[in-house]
Amino acid sequence: MVHANNAPGRVVIVGAGMVGLSTAWFLQERGVEVTVLDRKGVAAGASWGNAGWLTPGISTPLPEPAVLRYGLRAVLSPSSPVYIPPTGNVRLIKFLTSFARHSTSARWRTAMASLVPINRCALSSFDTLADGGVEGQTEEAKSFLAAYRTAAERAVLLEEIEHIHAAGQGIEFDVLTGDDARGIEPSLSDEIGAAIRLHGQRFINPGDFVHRLADAVRQRGGVIREDAEVSSIDDDGRTVQVSTEFGHPETFDSVVLATGTWLGDFARQFGVKTVVQAGRGYSFSVAIEHVPAGPVYFPAQRVACTPLGDRLRVAGMMEFRKPEAALDRRRIEAIVDAARPLLRGADLDSRQDEWVGSRPCTPDGLPLIGATRSPRVFAAGGHGMWGITLGPATGRLLAETITTGRVPAELAPFDPLR
């Protein structure tokens, strides 16, 4: 373990998802005593039901011209892959206006260049966790297929891969026919006429992995308190006092806000002005005759499929609405309708584990990682769809910042005060 002389001795992390627990673990590596608080429990938010992809090769900014086109169409169609309900919510309108401004090719390229350095750290950070005793398994994707009805549909991703390469991020891939793709994954239907196979990607069962990460934090002396909703955070200029709903204030040297969609609730008082909006995603699991050897993605439908044990998790949707809103069955049905003609042997009518969770999205598509206006209060969130992929890298780099006072170059574009 490494412990700098000026490093904080006690740090509290608010949020027990992938980002928060990764930060706790890497702080422990540097000799820091950690306490983790969560309003519900470990992996209770977006960390549980998402697709579980570890795909730095295609971890790209959410605001892009194609997504903006989906959004405009979605105002009129609740079944669209991106849904924006008619609203008078001023905060949501502010987010969508800024999101639209960032949905240009030029801004996407700038944001992509900002993500490349942290993407390069993503898989090695998972390896560091494994080498340090975290028992969560990462699976090599023996195949990772992006499947399309036509070659014309596939051209969109091929063009995006060109831009990813131009930004300096490498990704190896094969261009396949529909028959080639079915030869690799018999679970694809005859509707599939073109595909891309990505190499070098991985996947996990996200809920299981995050619980095992929590176990590792506890085994090394960390405290994790569930059902501990934080009611206030106060900075007296030397320490921070954190109060929970039914507890007395506790004093820590620093606090990390890793609360996902709720990041702004406390970060605003420390100068963070960027709106973090819930981009809600839905998922469920089904039995399937042939479990794929790796993830299957239908980009035109925005449907992501991941093998988890003997079942297939099917996930999709980007729904901009309040995180506490109830699960909307129309979204589940929309995913089912989109996936049904593309999958073979999937029992989509006997679903289990139906779930909705809120991805924390920023208008520019970049996370908020680093010190706030207070040098004792740090933000760690806003990763959008990539909190699982980038969680350990975020934790490693932020732990370095907290304990040394130096900001790694990888984090420079993600200043929470930008």
Side-chain angles (χ1 to χ4, degrees), residues 66-89:
V67 171
L68 181 59
R69 288 194 295 272
Y70 272 121
L72 292 174
R73 200 166 65 235
V75 172
L76 302 176
S77 174
S79 64
S80 175
V82 180
Y83 178 59
I84 305 170
T87 181
N89 184 305

Side-chain angles (χ1 to χ4, degrees), residues 64 107 198 206 246 255 257 309 337 350 402 404:
E64 58 175 346
R107 292 197 176 190
L198 304 178
F246 303 109
V255 59
L257 304 175
D337 290 344
S350 297
I402 293 170
T404 68

Side-chain angles (χ1 to χ4, degrees), residues 124-405:
S124 63
S125 296
F126 275 93
D127 293 338
T128 300
L129 292 176
D131 292 343
V134 177
E135 295 181 355
Q137 290 292 112
T138 67
E139 304 287 344
E140 294 289 342
K142 296 177 183 177
S143 65
F144 191 117
L145 293 178
Y148 301 85
R149 281 189 167 95
T150 67
E153 287 183 345
R154 181 179 61 192
V156 176
L157 183 55
L158 288 174
E159 182 180 354
E160 185 171 291
I161 289 173
E162 288 183 12
H163 292 311
I164 291 171
H165 280 152
Q169 182 163 296
I171 177 171
E172 296 183 7
F173 65 97
D174 301 320
V175 178
L176 308 175
T177 66
D179 288 338
D180 291 337
R182 273 182 294 279
I184 296 167
E185 287 299 353
S187 54
L188 295 174
S189 79
D190 291 338
E191 291 279 315
I192 299 302
I196 296 172
R197 177 168 56 183
L198 304 178
H199 297 285
Q201 312 304 301
R202 306 184 199 175
F203 64 98
I204 59 172
N205 180 327
D208 179 73
F209 188 97
V210 174
H211 275 279
R212 291 178 183 272
L213 178 55
D215 291 342
V217 170
R218 290 190 183 103
Q219 289 165 6
R220 303 203 304 178
V223 175
I224 300 176
R225 297 180 191 161
E226 303 180 294
D227 298 315
E229 184 158 5
V230 173
S231 56
S232 67
I233 298 174
D234 298 296
D235 179 2
D236 66 8
R238 295 177 296 105
T239 59
V240 287
Q241 287 75 47
V242 177
S243 300
T244 54
E245 192 172 7
F246 303 109
H248 297 292
E250 293 185 78
T251 299
F252 298 91
D253 298 311
S254 298
V255 59
V256 176
L257 304 175
T259 49
T261 300
W262 294 271
L263 181 66
D265 291 357
F266 290 113
R268 274 191 294 274
Q269 76 186 76
F270 298 103
V272 179
K273 297 179 181 179
T274 299
V275 175
V276 179
Q277 169 63 38
R280 298 183 356 138
Y282 287 75
S283 73
F284 51 84
S285 72
V286 296
I288 188 168
E289 291 176 4
H290 179 275
V291 179
V296 175
Y297 183 31
F298 303 113
Q301 292 74 25
R302 305 269 168 168
V303 172
C305 304
T306 307
L308 297 180
D310 61 354
R311 296 180 68 82
L312 186 71
R313 175 169 289 175
V314 183
M317 281 286 162
M318 178 62 75
E319 178 188 56
F320 291 122
R321 65 190 306 181
K322 292 181 179 179
E324 62 271 16
L327 181 147
D328 189 332
R329 301 210 60 79
R330 294 177 300 173
R331 309 291 172 263
I332 297 287
E333 294 298 334
I335 297 171
V336 170
D337 290 344
R340 191 183 299 279
L342 306 177
L343 287 172
R344 175 180 287 136
D347 189 358
L348 291 163
D349 295 322
S350 297
R351 300 181 294 275
Q352 296 179 10
D353 306 317
E354 291 185 348
W355 174 90
V356 61
S358 296
R359 312 175 187 96
C361 300
T362 61
D364 61 4
L366 300 179
L368 305 168
I369 310 170
T372 65
R373 191 171 57 204
S374 165
R376 287 163 292 280
V377 179
F378 298 84
H383 293 76
M385 297 169 60
W386 309 115
I388 291 293
T389 297
L390 297 180
T394 296
R396 182 170 67 80
L397 296 167
L398 184 57
E400 180 181 342
T401 298
I402 293 170
T403 55
T404 68

Side-chain angles (χ1 to χ4, degrees), residues 81-103:
V82 180
Y83 178 59
I84 305 170
T87 181
N89 184 305
V90 174
R91 185 172 175 275
L92 177 55
I93 292 171
K94 178 182 177 182
F95 169 83
L96 293 173
T97 301
S98 183
F99 187 92
R101 286 201 306 268
H102 285 92
S103 296

